[in-house]
Amino acid sequence: MTDARSQILGLVRRARGERADAAAVDARLAARRPNLIPARAQLPHAEQVALFLKMAAEAACTVERVAADADVPEALATYLAAQNLPAEVRIAPSLAGLPWDRRPTLTVRPGKADPADAVSVTGAFAGVAETGTLMMLSGPEHPTTLNFLPDTHVVVIRASQVVGTYEDGWARLRAGPGTMPRTVNFITGPSRTADIEMTLYMGAHGPRRLHVILVDSDPS
Amino acid sequence: MQPQSHAFKDNVRTALADANLQRALDRFKGGFAVKRKIVADKLPEFEALRDEAKGIKDHVLANLDLYLERYEAKVVETGGTVHWARTPAEARAIITDICRSVDAKTVTKGKSMVAEEIALNDHLEAAGIRPIETDLGEYIIQLRKEIPSHIIAPAIHLNKEDVAKAFREAHTHRDPARPLDDGGVLVGEARAELRERYLAADVGITGANFLIAETGSSIIVTNEGNGDLTQILPKVHIVLATIEKVVPTLEDVSTILRLLARSATGQEFSVYTTLSTGPRRDADLDGPGQYHVVLLDNGRSGMLGTEFQDMLRCIRCAACINHCPVYAAVGGHAYGWVYPGPMGSVLTPSLVGVREAGHLPNASTFCGKCESVCPMKIPLPKMMRHLREREFEGALSPPATRFGLSVWGFFARRPALYRAATGLAMRMLGWAGRREGRFRSLPLAGGWTSVRDMPAPQGRTFQAIWAERRRG
C-alpha cells in the first residue's frame, strides 16, 4: 500500500501534468516580492502615525499619545482609574525597563498572563497604519497569553514602530529578528462577536478593551 | 456528517415554513452585504487585488505538489510535524492518536469547516475525548447538536431565545432563574464557561485559513480570540487543513488577507490574524509544546485539472453566501451538508458526488451576484452549469425535467419554429392575462404559481423586441 503522502502528491502531480516549474517556485519563495500595495498607507511617516491612530480608533481601540517613556506610568494609571480598574497589572518583560517607580501606586509584575490578571500591558513589534493593526511577536520578552487572557490589554508602542503596510512589517521582521517566532499576532481592535442575532458585542473571549499608548520619542 | 443534500427539496419546504428561521434570516439579509460594499468602496485597489489574489492561487494550484513539499519541509525545520491524510477516516485516526499520546481528556476547538467535513467531534467523543467548540456560534450549535448553517456565522439561523434555552439546559450549575434575554449577557456567560475549558484542555485543534510555504506557518483569522486561546494554552496544537490552503509567501498571504475580512464581514481587517510556526521556542514562557499539521486531501486532488479546479481558490469568506437570494430564503441547513450557498452548491457535489447533491447546483437563479462578489473570482454560475450538465448526462434529473428540456431542445434547434411558437405563446398568454396582468395559476407551472403569481407577458417576445430595436 502506498502511503498517504506519496499518493496525494502523486495525484496532484498527475492532475497538473507537465506544467510544474520548480525553478519558478523556488525563485518566487526566495524573492518574496510584494504584490500590489494599496496607496492608502504610502505616506510620509508622520501621516502614517496619524493614520494608524485613526484606523485603530475605528477598530474600537482607545488611543492616546504621550511624549516620552517617562509619561507612560502616568498615562496608564490615569487610564486604569478612569475605567475603574485595579492599579495592578501584568507587564510583558520587555517593558520592565520603563520608569514604573514614577507611579508608586502602580503594581507591575512581569511574566506571562495568569488567568486572574485583569490587565496586561505589552509592547508591540510594529503598528500597521493601513488598518490600525498591532503586530506582536511571541518570545520570552512578550508571552502571547498577555494578548488574550486579561480583560483589558494596554499596548505601548513607539511612533517609530509604525509602518505603512503588512509588507513593511514583514520586511522589519526579516531585517530584525530574522526568523519567525512561534506566534505572530496581528490585532485590530478588541475581541468581539456577532454570532448572536448579528449584533456586535465586545469581549467575546479575548480582551474587552484594547488601549493604545503611542510614545512619540524613542529612548535617548 | 453524512450528507443530506438529496433531501434538499424537502428541506426547502420545511425551511420556508419555519417562522423562527425566517425571522433569523430577515436579520441576515443585507447585513454582511452592505458592510462589504462600504469597505470595498473605501479601498480603490479592491478590484485589482482580486485579480492578483486569483493569480496567486492559480499559480499555487498549477504547482501544488511543489508548494506542499516546500511547506512541509519548513514545518519540519521549525519543529512541527506534518501528517498526510487521504480520507476523513485517516485524518480522524491521526488526530485521535495524537490526543491519546498525551492522554487527552478534553480538547478545545477553534472553528474549522474541515473538522465539520470529517465529523471530528463525533469521533472524538466515541474515542472518549471530549471536544469543546470555542467559537461562540459553534459552541451554541454544539450544545444544540446541530451543524453550522453558515461557514462564518454558524448560528445565524437562531434567535437569542434559542440561545438562552440552550444555555439554560447546558449550564445547570447556574441559577435557573437568571435573566438571559440580553445578547450581551449570553456572550458573557459563554465567555465565563469557556474560560475554564480553555485552561483545562489538553489539546487545542484549529483549522487554517492559509498555510505559508515560505515559513511553514499556519494562519487563523478570527474576531473572538477563541482560536488563539485554543492554541496557546494546551500542551499540543493540532492544525487541520486541506491541501489547497497553501500560499507561497508572507507577501502573497498579505494580499489575500486584504480581501478576506472585507469580503466576509465587511471589516477592514479581522480582529485577530495569527501566524503559528512550530511549537513554543525553548525560552518562551507560554505556547504549545507540540505542533502538528494534518494535511487532508478528501477529494481536492480529484478536482485539480478539471473544470472544478477554480473552486480550489476559495478562501471561505462566505461573500457568495451573503449575497445569495436562495440562501437568504432557505438558510444553510437546507443544503444538507457543511457548505451552503453558491460555494456549497459547487463544492458539495464535487466532493460527495452529483448523485447525492445534484439538487444544489439547480438551486440558483443564476443572478451572478456570487461570482461578482467572490474575492477570488471563482466562476460559480459556470461551474453550477457544468454540474447541471453532469446531472443531465448521468440521467439523474427527474423525468419531468428531462421531458421539458427535450421539448425545449426540439424547438431551440429550429430557430424559425422557435420564434413562431414562442411568439404565439406570448400573444396568447398576454391576451389571457390582459385583465389582471398576472396569473394566479397556470397549467404545468404549479411549482411557480403555488407560492407567487406569474406576471403576464406584454404580448411579444424578447427576441422580437430586440430585432426591432436593432433595426430601428
Side-chain angles (χ1 to χ4, degrees):
Chain A
M1 195 182 100
T2 345
D3 68 292
R5 181 183 186 277
S6 38
Q7 195 179 350
I8 292 171
L9 288 173
L11 286 169
V12 169
R13 220 162 271 149
R14 207 170 319 145
R16 66 142 168 75
E18 299 301 310
R19 283 166 294 139
D21 186 347
V25 164
D26 289 324
R28 185 178 183 121
L29 290 174
R32 303 177 301 205
R33 186 178 51 81
N35 303 298
L36 173 69
I37 303 288
R40 179 192 285 182
Q42 299 185 37
L43 301 166
H45 188 254
E47 288 170 48
Q48 285 179 337
V49 173
L51 178 64
F52 168 74
L53 291 173
K54 172 177 165 272
M55 295 305 291
E58 278 185 20
C61 292
T62 48
V63 298
E64 70 177 298
R65 216 166 162 160
V66 300
D69 278 3
D71 305 316
V72 172
E74 171 76 28
L76 176 64
T78 309
Y79 171 77
L80 295 175
Q83 303 292 328
N84 278 323
L85 291 167
E88 204 180 288
V89 299
R90 181 73 64 178
I91 63 165
S94 60
L95 296 185
L98 286 175
W100 298 110
D101 51 357
R102 288 172 161 251
R103 286 294 298 233
T105 52
L106 267 180
T107 311
V108 298
R109 288 169 305 157
K112 65 175 183 174
D114 180 276
D117 291 336
V119 181
S120 63
V121 185
T122 73
F125 176 72
V128 181
E130 67 173 298
T131 45
T133 299
L134 294 156
M135 180 178 178
M136 315 285 206
L137 310 187
S138 68
E141 295 291 297
H142 189 149
T144 310
T145 43
L146 294 174
N147 302 341
F148 294 97
L149 269 178
D151 246 22
T152 301
H153 182 193
V154 180
V155 177
V156 181
I157 183 171
R158 296 182 192 290
S160 60
Q161 290 177 302
V162 172
V163 297
T165 63
Y166 316 121
E167 287 83 347
D168 295 335
W170 298 131
R172 274 203 188 193
L173 172 60
R174 288 177 186 132
T179 58
M180 288 290 278
R182 149 65 202 172
T183 307
V184 179
N185 293 124
F186 285 99
I187 302 180
T188 313
S191 163
R192 68 200 65 186
T193 183
D195 272 349
I196 298 179
E197 295 196 342
M198 293 197 69
T199 309
L200 192 63
Y201 298 101
M202 306 308 273
H205 294 284
R208 285 171 224 265
R209 302 180 201 84
L210 180 56
H211 185 63
V212 176
I213 301 175
L214 184 116
V215 183
D216 269 306
S217 67
D218 287 335
S220 43
Chain B
M1 64 167 284
Q2 278 300 314
Q4 301 296 324
S5 304
H6 58 271
F8 180 72
K9 288 188 170 177
D10 290 335
N11 298 344
V12 162
R13 248 169 249 127
T14 312
L16 289 171
D18 183 339
N20 254 339
L21 172 64
Q22 292 300 324
R23 192 153 62 92
L25 288 172
D26 277 342
R27 254 192 313 272
F28 164 77
K29 287 169 194 162
F32 287 127
V34 170
K35 293 196 188 93
R36 174 200 172 274
K37 172 129 181 45
I38 292 169
V39 294
D41 287 349
K42 278 192 197 168
L43 190 67
E45 297 88 351
F46 191 79
E47 288 306 312
L49 285 168
R50 289 176 69 198
D51 290 323
E52 295 222 323
K54 173 181 182 292
I56 291 167
K57 282 297 275 212
D58 282 344
H59 166 75
V60 169
L61 293 174
N63 298 282
L64 186 57
D65 52 325
L66 301 174
Y67 277 112
L68 285 168
E69 285 171 351
R70 279 147 185 78
Y71 164 75
E72 179 189 38
K74 274 292 169 183
V75 175
V76 172
E77 192 186 309
T78 49
T81 311
V82 176
H83 310 260
W84 299 74
R86 285 166 288 203
T87 61
E90 287 184 350
R92 294 185 303 242
I94 292 163
I95 292 170
T96 311
D97 284 350
I98 298 169
C99 291
R100 285 201 175 123
S101 74
V102 292
D103 201 18
K105 305 282 185 298
T106 65
V107 307
T108 42
K109 280 184 64 215
K111 201 170 83 57
S112 157
M113 295 312 295
V114 177
E116 297 285 345
E117 192 180 317
I118 69 169
L120 181 60
N121 287 356
D122 296 345
H123 288 80
L124 287 174
E125 276 171 24
I129 300 158
R130 189 176 167 208
I132 295 149
E133 294 289 349
T134 61
D135 172 82
L136 178 58
E138 287 279 346
Y139 178 68
I140 293 166
I141 62 167
Q142 186 186 27
L143 293 180
R144 290 171 51 91
K145 301 187 168 38
E146 288 181 304
I147 62 161
S149 63
H150 188 288
I151 61 171
I152 66 161
I156 196 88
H157 58 290
L158 297 175
N159 299 296
K160 65 178 185 231
E161 298 78 35
D162 306 316
V163 180
K165 181 162 175 286
F167 281 13
R168 271 188 216 289
E169 285 169 11
H171 307 156
T172 48
H173 53 285
R174 292 177 182 260
D175 178 6
R178 68 195 184 281
L180 282 179
D181 43 13
D182 176 72
V185 172
L186 292 167
V187 173
E189 184 165 313
R191 179 185 170 102
E193 289 287 330
L194 284 165
R195 191 50 74 105
E196 296 161 28
R197 310 270 183 248
Y198 289 123
L199 296 165
D202 304 295
V203 173
I205 302 175
T206 68
N209 291 82
F210 306 98
L211 306 171
I212 305 172
E214 176 200 344
T215 56
S217 311
S218 57
I219 297 197
I220 59 167
V221 179
T222 76
N223 278 314
E224 298 184 1
N226 63 302
D228 289 283
L229 289 168
T230 295
Q231 64 164 287
I232 57 179
L233 294 172
K235 302 187 279 277
V236 178
H237 177 199
I238 302 174
V239 178
L240 173 61
T242 43
I243 54 172
E244 82 282 14
K245 299 277 192 218
V246 67
V247 292
T249 62
L250 296 168
E251 278 70 14
D252 292 324
V253 84
S254 301
T255 297
I256 303 178
L257 284 169
R258 286 194 177 96
L259 295 165
L260 177 58
R262 290 183 173 97
S263 300
T265 51
Q267 289 168 283
E268 291 275 345
F269 215 51
S270 297
V271 177
Y272 301 111
T273 299
T274 296
L275 288 85
S276 309
T277 313
R280 68 193 280 178
R281 311 296 187 248
D282 285 343
D284 283 353
L285 305 182
D286 54 21
Q290 293 181 35
Y291 177 71
H292 297 270
V293 181
V294 180
L295 269 181
L296 174 67
D297 181 349
N298 197 27
R300 272 71 178 178
S301 60
M303 294 167 71
L304 277 172
T306 73
E307 64 264 59
F308 303 108
Q309 171 168 317
D310 290 343
M311 190 63 217
L312 298 175
R313 289 202 300 268
C314 177
I315 56 171
R316 305 291 190 268
C317 70
C320 61
I321 301 172
N322 296 341
H323 291 77
C324 179
V326 177
Y327 178 94
V330 301
H333 285 161
Y335 291 79
W337 202 49
V338 183
Y339 302 107
M343 56 82 67
S345 295
V346 172
L347 195 57
T348 304
S350 304
L351 295 180
V352 308
V354 175
R355 185 170 291 280
E356 166 66 37
H359 286 313
L360 304 186
N362 289 294
S364 168
T365 63
F366 280 167
C367 69
K369 194 71 187 168
C370 49
E371 182 176 356
S372 75
V373 296
C374 174
M376 306 307 287
K377 297 202 147 182
I378 299 170
L380 290 157
K382 189 178 95 186
M383 287 190 283
M384 282 187 251
R385 267 195 293 273
H386 285 315
L387 287 162
R388 289 183 186 188
E389 283 164 18
R390 274 197 189 184
E391 191 194 21
F392 189 84
E393 283 159 9
L396 295 168
S397 25
T401 308
R402 301 182 68 78
F403 175 73
L405 280 171
S406 65
V407 170
W408 179 82
F410 175 83
F411 284 98
R413 281 194 298 267
R414 295 165 177 82
L417 188 59
Y418 185 91
R419 276 194 296 275
T422 51
L424 180 66
M426 288 311 108
R427 277 198 299 282
M428 284 172 59
L429 283 170
W431 178 82
R434 69 192 180 285
R435 198 159 303 151
E436 288 196 65
R438 61 199 160 92
F439 297 99
R440 287 177 203 278
S441 68
L442 272 178
L444 301 178
W448 176 282
T449 54
S450 64
V451 287
R452 48 189 149 9
D453 292 343
M454 172 83 182
Q458 301 295 306
R460 297 171 63 209
T461 65
F462 171 79
Q463 283 179 316
I465 297 168
W466 178 257
E468 186 180 298
R469 294 217 175 153
R470 288 192 64 176
R471 278 196 303 272

